[in-house]
Amino acid sequence: MTERSERRGWHALGYLLLALLAYVPVLRSDPGKVAADTKQYLYLDPARLLERAWSMWDPNIGLGTVTHQNIGYLFPMGPFYWAFDALRIPDWVAQRLWLGSIIFAAGLGVLYLMRTLGRRGPGLVVAVLVFMLTPYLLDYSARISVILLPWAGLPWLLAFVVRGLRDRGNETGAGRIGAWRFPALFAIVVQVIGGVNATALIFAGLAPVLWIPFAVWVTCEVTGRQAWRFVWRTGLLTTLASLWWISGLWAQGSHGLDILAFTETIRTVSRTSLAPEVLRGLGYWFFYGQDKLGAWTESSVGYTQWSWLIVVSYSIPTLALLSAAFVRWRYRAYFVALVVVGVAISVGTYPYDAPSPAGALFTSFAKSSSAGLALRSSGRATPLVVLGLAALLAAGVDALHRRLAGTSRNWIAVAAAGLLVGLAIVNFPALWQGTFYGENLERDSAIPQYWKDAIGAADARPHDTRILEVPGSDFASYTWGNTVDPITPGLTDRPYVARELIPWGSPASADLMNAFDRQMQEGVLDSDGIAPFARLVSAGDVLVRNDLQTDRYNLVRSRSLWRLFDPPPEGLGEPKTFGDAPSGAAGRIDEAALGAPANEAAAPSVGLFPVEGAPSIIRSASPDRPVILSGDGEGIVDAGSIGLLPGSDRAVLYSASFAGNPTALRQQIDRDATLVVTDSNRKRARRWSTVRDNTGYTETATERPLVEDLGDARLDVFPDAGIDASTT
């Protein structure tokens, strides 16, 4: 065997070990269970998801909405799951292979980068494992693994920039095809990793951007002209390759609801982003959260409660910083800068009430624009820190190896490398504990048959009306498992609507759905108003789901909910029921449960009620004799319960929508209008952390908050109306 063949054999063995480390522990993590990772529809019917993802309009969310990030599933995640589904490979296996492939790609990327930078010693192995087994991976592996793509692509992007700047074809101008090789590779990686979350991509992109001035002015590897040639080629190809998902971001940002305003606040995100936590690959606010069922991320417990693991997790960045202080390396300054920049960005606005000057600027930027708010998840810059520390550790190990090579003390260098490899493995208990996913986010591979039957029955009904699913839920957690996304829209092509935690659609439609569901959740909904409301939103069927984990999110209990529908209120037909009474859905035993009627029949898991006289979604209404309602969605729901909502042939208009045009309002009144005055559209605070108990008291007309409340995100249904259009 030649020396070259032997080297190839060792390389092949190394790749094999890398693959085993990436795939085997993940496959051993809760086999047979499907986790609620990223999008449930990838596991229910990926072909249906791909059919819809190209369109920025989605009739299945919020009475119709401009989608948020769905176009990103066109590649690579959607085709990945579609291929495994076509091959009849179980969903849980496909899910594990997806995560394993991300980890494997990250490891290969560091291997490629280190070789690009001239690393050939034992430090190369250390760098690969430290980056590949970072706790940062656990922040997103269970819920939104797609955000890990920029982490996995980061070393590849940096390596392509390094090689592209050095490429001789770059020296001679644009005439050589070879000069386009690395710009093309860079563009391909960007369009693969950037389709769903631009924030993580932007932060990852800082590493290759920082390398360009470093190569020009510090190491002087290239001239400014060479760098410019590479930059414009890379920018051009990257823009063209990613235009498909960039256009989606533009459409949603220009025409969709500002979703970011109703999700986590800057204060919430910054609460845990301490510099020491960032250095050990953590700091993401959600990682530390917990509720009545336990930790949101089950693997977080060890990093916050096990003393030995805390010590190990801090020892890795400590050793890396010592290496940076004492080991000379041509690229040391760059990776130190990468760590500094990554920590500065990841820390962001912490502490929120007394930030650094840089943090104050970041806060101001985040508050002043949607683009700034999109970057509030500054912890997604942590991969910069992880990569910088991994490279510095590699430099330290290799320096020790070179110093002791050929001496009797060479075993010290080998032992040092082994120690760091051991620390990287010990610092990642998910390898042997199988906690890449959490039990609180899993379900069996098969959806219960009664749900398939119920959705099949709803899907067989006319598609010119929609399915109204009740009750709303923070996230879809059923008694048989947690899916986060409601399963119904993933298994039917019929338009669908349900109240979810975050508002979708337009402000008016989101407000209307919230009003209806709030009254249902809080037990004040008049059952006589269900059918009029369903007809108003063109719901041909009401699907009642009684198998939700009601105690988990403090939802209306299944028996209380079923009383609204048993017997069917006027306007609803006799139901079809599916499944027996769900186990565990009755809720806790308290005064409400003890006050229930004696010997009350248990509710079925699912009930499907036809709506009599439901009009088509696409319809026209006469401008004559409109109903003009002073108020908002709450007033609409109340008006429906007392018979004041007209049939589908007459329009229902909000008076406040004419606030900027009183002449048009008078014209509507002159058409023999019916005026309905309500005390809704109140001036009050609103939060979005739950589906109920999320509005404040009615404020005075001139009242202002005494302190800043970032959680107060009021849904501006009538942006052109003044305070005189509100109830105060």
Side-chain angles (χ1 to χ4, degrees), residues 247-454:
S247 64
L249 287 179
W250 170 83
Q252 198 281 328
S254 301
H255 303 287
L257 200 62
D258 186 10
I259 299 299
L260 297 174
F262 307 106
T263 54
E264 61 270 14
T265 66
I266 306 170
R267 184 190 293 272
T268 298
V269 170
S270 68
R271 191 166 294 164
T272 57
S273 57
L274 294 76
E277 290 296 277
V278 172
L279 283 171
R280 62 176 183 152
L282 298 174
Y284 177 46
W285 68 276
F286 200 90
F287 186 76
Y288 305 88
Q290 59 183 1
D291 56 26
K292 64 184 72 173
L293 298 182
W296 292 343
T297 306
E298 292 179 13
S299 56
S300 68
V301 175
Y303 293 96
T304 57
Q305 299 183 28
W306 299 349
S307 300
W308 65 268
L309 184 56
I310 294 172
V311 171
V312 169
S313 65
Y314 279 116
S315 67
I316 292 176
T318 300
L319 292 172
L321 295 176
L322 287 173
S323 175
F326 295 106
V327 176
R328 288 191 172 186
W329 180 34
R330 187 182 187 189
Y331 304 121
R332 176 178 64 171
Y334 170 78
F335 285 103
V336 169
L338 203 61
V339 172
V340 172
V341 170
V343 170
I345 294 174
S346 297
V347 168
T349 62
Y350 179 85
Y352 182 83
D353 294 321
S356 65
L361 287 174
F362 188 87
T363 301
S364 177
F365 175 57
K367 289 181 177 180
S368 63
S369 67
S370 295
L373 193 59
L375 296 175
R376 73 194 185 285
S377 296
S378 57
R380 291 171 189 170
T382 301
L384 301 177
V385 181
V386 178
L387 181 60
L389 295 176
L392 293 170
L393 280 173
V397 170
D398 284 349
L400 185 63
H401 177 68
R402 287 193 304 271
R403 186 179 184 86
L404 301 178
T407 70
S408 60
R409 295 186 299 166
N410 189 45
W411 64 270
I412 297 177
V414 176
L419 173 64
L420 288 171
V421 167
L423 286 175
I425 292 174
V426 172
N427 189 41
F428 202 77
L431 279 178
W432 63 87
Q433 289 183 335
T435 52
F436 285 93
Y437 305 100
E439 293 181 2
N440 62 347
L441 281 175
E442 293 178 334
R443 63 168 174 85
D444 290 334
S445 291
I447 297 293
Q449 186 59 45
Y450 68 81
W451 261 109
K452 295 180 180 178
D453 294 339

Side-chain angles (χ1 to χ4, degrees), residues 108-122:
L108 281 183
V110 175
L111 187 65
Y112 183 68
L113 173 63
M114 291 296 104
R115 286 179 174 171
T116 298
L117 298 177
R119 299 254 71 91
R120 293 291 188 273

Side-chain angles (χ1 to χ4, degrees), residues 9 70 83 95 140 247 260 335 379 416 420 423 524 555 678 694 696:
N70 277 10
Q95 189 175 68
Y140 302 102
S247 64
L260 297 174
F335 285 103
L420 288 171
L423 286 175
V524 296
L555 307 178
T678 76
N694 52 17

Side-chain angles (χ1 to χ4, degrees), residues 122-159:
L124 187 148
V125 178
V126 172
V128 168
L129 291 183
V130 167
F131 186 81
M132 187 172 140
L133 301 181
T134 171
Y136 176 83
L137 170 64
L138 301 174
D139 285 345
Y140 302 102
S141 60
R143 280 179 169 82
I144 38 179
S145 65
V146 71
I147 292 183
L148 292 171
L149 290 177
W151 163 73
L154 167 59
W156 292 101
L157 295 178
L158 180 55

Side-chain angles (χ1 to χ4, degrees), residues 540-560:
D541 292 273
V542 179
L543 192 153
V544 183
R545 47 184 181 177
N546 291 313
D547 59 347
L548 294 174
Q549 296 180 33
T550 55
D551 280 0
R552 184 167 191 166
Y553 298 116
N554 195 28
L555 307 178
V556 58
R557 303 180 189 180
S558 57
R559 289 190 176 181
S560 299

